[in-house]
Amino acid sequence: MHVVATAGHVDHGKSTLVRALTGMEPDRYEEERRRGLTLDLGFAWTTLDVPGPGGPAPAEVAIVDVPGHERFVATMLAGVGPVPAVLFVVAADSGWMPQSSEHLDALTALGVRHGLLVVTRSDLGDADLAVEEARDRLAGTPLAGMEAVAVSAPTGAGMDDLRAALGRLLAALPAPDVAAPVRLWVDRAFTIRGAGTVITGTLPAGSVAVGDELELPGGARPGARVVVRGLHSLGRAVPRATGVARVAVNLRGVDVDAVGRGSALTTPGTTVSTADVDVLLRRGPAASPGRPDEGPPPLPEQLLLHLGSAAVPVHVRPLDAPGGVLARLHLSGALPLRIGDVGLLRDPGAHRVVAGVTVLDPAPPPLRRRGAARARAQALADLDGTPDAAGELARRGVARRADLVAMGVPPADVDAVAAAPGVLGDGEWLVDAAAAAPLRHRLAAEVAAAARDRPLEPGLPVEAARRRLGLPSTGLVTALLGTGEAAALELAEGRLRERGAGASGPALPAPVQAAVDAVLADLADAPYAAPEAHRLRELGLGSRELAAAVRAGALAKVADGVVLAPAALAGAAGPLAALPQPFTLSEARQAWGTSRRVAVPLLELLDRRGLTRKLPDARRELLR
Ligand SMILES: Nc1nc2c(ncn2[C@@H]2O[C@H](COP(=O)(O)OP(=O)(O)OP(=O)(O)O)[C@@H](O)[C@H]2O)c(=O)[nH]1
Ligand SMILES: [Mg+2]
């Protein structure tokens, strides 16, 4: 299927042309027919012969009929936005008019390159003159070279030529990517009794099938998933529709108020729902893709952004210079966008399309510091809206793989950049190679600072390192290890420390070392008489200090608050060898010259180490 839209000044015969071509009534409302004025989008379709390699073949073409009245330009744009080709209508008897210009400017800004110039009402005026005038106006725009056909609806003159020319136009349209992610801009939403909410739109690429789960970005529940309950195309129920196509989608569990013109249904994870976007502006009389040579006047700050079927008020902030080509748009509501999306900015009061826009970054960084806008302009200077995996990652330093895909970077390109030399990742996130070196430097500095500031701790917890480096995951912190300035760091029990710091034991701070020395002196004559709680307190050895002394190998832990000299613990089985076997707790206590407080956990420790065994009568024997 193909989809084309009409364009042109009010009353120039667009709807009449659609009627003559399809036999269908594009003016759906009684009021439209009564007033002879199109108020809203109309939809009609027909079958015609399209030339192909194997000769002409019948193909279906749907036509989105737009209103020409100056008050309905926003409606016109909602209809044209997702459509790749246009029937540009000019009446022979009145010739080129203001909305001819406004519609042409809009089509130019949207980058529409395929169309037919249809001069209508040829029975009422000089069609050749109208064609000539239109050619003048079209010069320099992407539609300059389109074929021209003159028709008259009442006489039927030119209609066969029109069908033939339309066939040639359709044959020349680029084939859309059937595997592309779906973004279906809604142009109508209504309810059908018994079926619920139905939306219609032009599917430009990709395919939608009954049962598909799609995302409804924006709306009352941003990111909500919806299921395609039913699908119609050109009035028929179909199991699947592939772009380009007109589709009507019956949605399960969606209130009709939650969707409307300007909403979109998308393949989950394939757009960024954003209210801030950096764009390339295409301006001047020919606001066609490509950068203008000279700077036009500054843009108004408040404009309407038209993109897809959406029209959203935006605040425009120039990034490079007033009248420049780069701007940050702040949207009054989020839209689901990708790099390379094309839209336009319009000044509705002035009836003027002021610029075409190409999305360069749908997830731009905030502009906080002075000079941030200018720096941002430099970062964007060479971009043209083609998503580039390496560039996106380099500009961001750290990025989530899924976010790059949502921005429009092909998944295969994201995989390739993830595998590039020097790029780090944890499966979910990526760190650019150039960003890794300064992160390693900061990590080494943080670990050193932590060792200095908190010597009793066995290193900097990875989670603390993550926070200090501002990284999104601890996986990325550990991915930094191994090379560069992080080569000297090691990870043990969730903490980072300088390699080797744990092996010989970290040096204890002087006061702790002095207290430990005092304990060891106490133990010199009675090696198993572990210091009592009051003695430890008096020496300033709390649980943190004791843990550090144990980690440093200066003391050995028997139980909480029970410490011995490491050598005493290692030789604890020795005094038990002189006892009659098996022996009692009391005999062991006396052999060690200590109290039950020490003897009980010490025997349990020896049991666990397999040096002693507890018998059913609670006595123990030494195992050799
Ligand atoms: N004589 C003659 N009248 C025509 C022809 N085409 C359209 N008309 C008349 O021109 C008037 C306007 O036609 P429409 O088709 O409603 O124009 P339109 O471009 O759809 O108008 P809007 O949708 O409101 O912008 C109607 O009265 C038509 O009957 C034609 O080829 N010959
Ligand atoms: Mg009409």
Side-chain angles (χ1 to χ4, degrees):
M1 189 200 305
H2 301 279
V3 182
V4 300
T6 59
H9 195 74
V10 65
D11 262 353
H12 274 202
K14 298 179 291 297
S15 301
T16 304
L17 176 74
V18 172
R19 225 173 274 129
L21 208 48
T22 66
M24 292 177 74
E25 176 54 65
D27 283 333
R28 294 175 286 127
Y29 303 109
E30 193 276 328
E31 186 189 355
E32 291 180 308
R33 297 192 291 272
R34 182 164 40 80
R35 293 171 63 184
L37 182 73
T38 301
L39 304 171
D40 200 354
L41 300 174
F43 309 96
W45 55 89
T46 188
T47 302
L48 50 78
D49 281 342
V50 174
E60 284 177 317
V61 56
I63 304 176
V64 179
D65 184 37
V66 308
H69 195 280
E70 61 173 8
R71 285 208 341 255
F72 307 134
V73 173
T75 304
M76 178 270 179
L77 289 168
V80 166
V83 174
V86 67
L87 296 175
F88 197 96
V89 169
V90 179
D93 53 330
S94 64
W96 196 269
M97 295 294 277
Q99 268 61 56
S100 311
S101 288
E102 194 173 1
H103 286 192
L104 175 62
D105 288 349
L107 294 166
T108 302
L110 293 174
V112 175
R113 290 173 292 120
H114 303 276
L116 278 187
L117 172 61
V118 186
V119 171
T120 51
R121 298 166 55 117
S122 65
D123 54 300
L124 299 178
D126 185 340
D128 291 342
L129 200 64
V131 170
E132 210 175 297
E133 186 187 13
R135 287 260 180 252
D136 277 354
R137 302 290 191 145
L138 291 165
T141 75
L143 290 171
M146 66 182 163
E147 252 191 88
V149 190
V151 297
S152 162
T155 72
M159 287 307 293
D160 287 341
D161 292 346
L162 174 63
R163 284 173 192 282
L166 185 51
R168 286 191 291 277
L169 171 72
L170 300 181
L173 292 180
D177 178 2
V178 297
V182 167
R183 183 173 39 180
L184 179 61
W185 290 102
V186 174
D187 48 37
R188 233 153 50 95
F190 49 93
T191 44
I192 290 184
R193 196 192 294 269
T197 299
V198 173
I199 63 95
T200 69
T202 301
L203 180 67
S207 83
V208 182
V210 173
D212 278 1
E213 192 183 61
L214 296 172
E215 196 173 328
L216 187 60
R221 290 185 298 137
R225 300 294 168 92
V226 297
V227 175
V228 176
R229 178 200 251 171
L231 196 60
H232 279 68
S233 189
L234 307 189
R236 294 184 300 265
V238 291
R240 172 179 292 274
T242 300
V244 178
R246 283 295 305 171
V247 295
V249 184
N250 180 200
L251 297 172
R252 184 176 302 152
V254 179
D255 196 276
V256 72
D257 298 331
V259 286
R261 183 166 293 168
S263 306
L265 291 175
T266 62
T267 302
T270 60
T271 58
V272 180
S273 185
T274 179
D276 290 285
V277 58
D278 285 351
V279 298
L280 176 65
L281 301 169
R282 291 175 273 101
R283 306 177 61 188
S288 55
R291 288 167 187 265
D293 300 332
E294 56 191 48
L299 289 181
E301 265 189 19
Q302 302 294 337
L303 289 169
L304 265 184
L305 170 69
H306 295 264
L307 197 148
S309 63
V312 181
V314 293
H315 175 266
V316 182
R317 173 170 179 182
L319 291 175
D320 41 1
V325 297
L326 295 166
R328 162 86 37 107
L329 305 183
H330 180 70
L331 285 55
S332 67
L335 288 182
L337 300 179
R338 296 189 195 119
I339 296 167
D341 280 343
V342 168
L344 63 82
L345 292 174
R346 200 167 62 92
D347 185 344
H351 278 290
R352 204 162 58 88
V353 172
V354 294
V357 301
T358 301
V359 170
L360 299 182
D361 192 339
L367 300 174
R368 290 210 190 88
R369 281 192 279 274
R370 271 181 89 79
R374 203 157 276 276
R376 184 65 186 155
Q378 269 162 18
L380 299 174
D382 297 325
L383 305 188
D384 63 0
T386 311
D388 156 42
E392 290 309 320
L393 180 58
R395 256 189 311 289
R396 290 172 165 77
V398 177
R400 198 194 294 262
R401 295 173 74 131
D403 289 344
L404 294 177
V405 171
M407 282 173 218
V409 179
D413 293 7
V414 175
D415 290 345
V417 91
V423 172
L424 304 178
D426 67 352
E428 183 183 4
W429 293 89
L430 296 175
V431 178
D432 179 56
L439 283 169
R440 288 196 179 96
H441 173 78
R442 284 173 53 200
L443 182 60
E446 291 293 350
V447 171
R452 197 173 56 239
D453 299 346
R454 282 174 302 282
L456 292 181
E457 287 191 16
L460 179 65
V462 178
E463 169 56 22
R466 181 199 68 75
R467 266 188 319 230
R468 286 176 200 194
L469 267 56
L471 287 173
S473 84
T474 52
L476 287 185
V477 176
T478 50
L480 289 168
L481 302 176
T483 49
E485 287 186 69
L489 304 180
E490 67 179 1
L491 178 67
E493 285 159 24
R495 289 171 182 262
L496 292 165
R497 60 190 184 195
E498 273 169 27
R499 200 175 283 283
S504 60
L508 289 172
V512 178
Q513 187 62 57
V516 167
D517 290 345
V519 169
L520 293 173
D522 291 352
L523 290 168
D525 294 332
Y528 297 97
E532 304 269 351
H534 68 84
R535 173 65 174 150
L536 293 174
R537 240 188 339 266
E538 162 188 308
L539 289 170
L541 291 172
S543 58
R544 265 160 43 87
E545 287 77 11
L546 283 181
V550 169
R551 262 192 315 270
L555 292 174
K557 175 176 172 177
V558 177
D560 281 344
V562 180
V563 289
L564 299 176
L569 180 61
L576 306 179
L579 294 175
Q581 303 292 321
F583 55 86
T584 63
L585 168 64
S586 174
E587 286 165 338
R589 182 179 61 70
Q590 285 170 34
W592 282 325
T594 187
S595 61
R596 286 177 60 92
R597 183 180 70 91
V598 177
V600 170
L602 188 50
L603 278 171
E604 285 168 358
L605 187 66
L606 296 182
D607 290 345
R608 285 199 299 279
R609 291 186 177 179
L611 292 167
T612 54
R613 179 169 63 192
K614 193 172 182 182
L615 301 176
D617 65 0
R619 290 188 300 168
R620 281 182 170 82
E621 62 184 4
L622 200 56
L623 299 172
R624 277 280 140 92

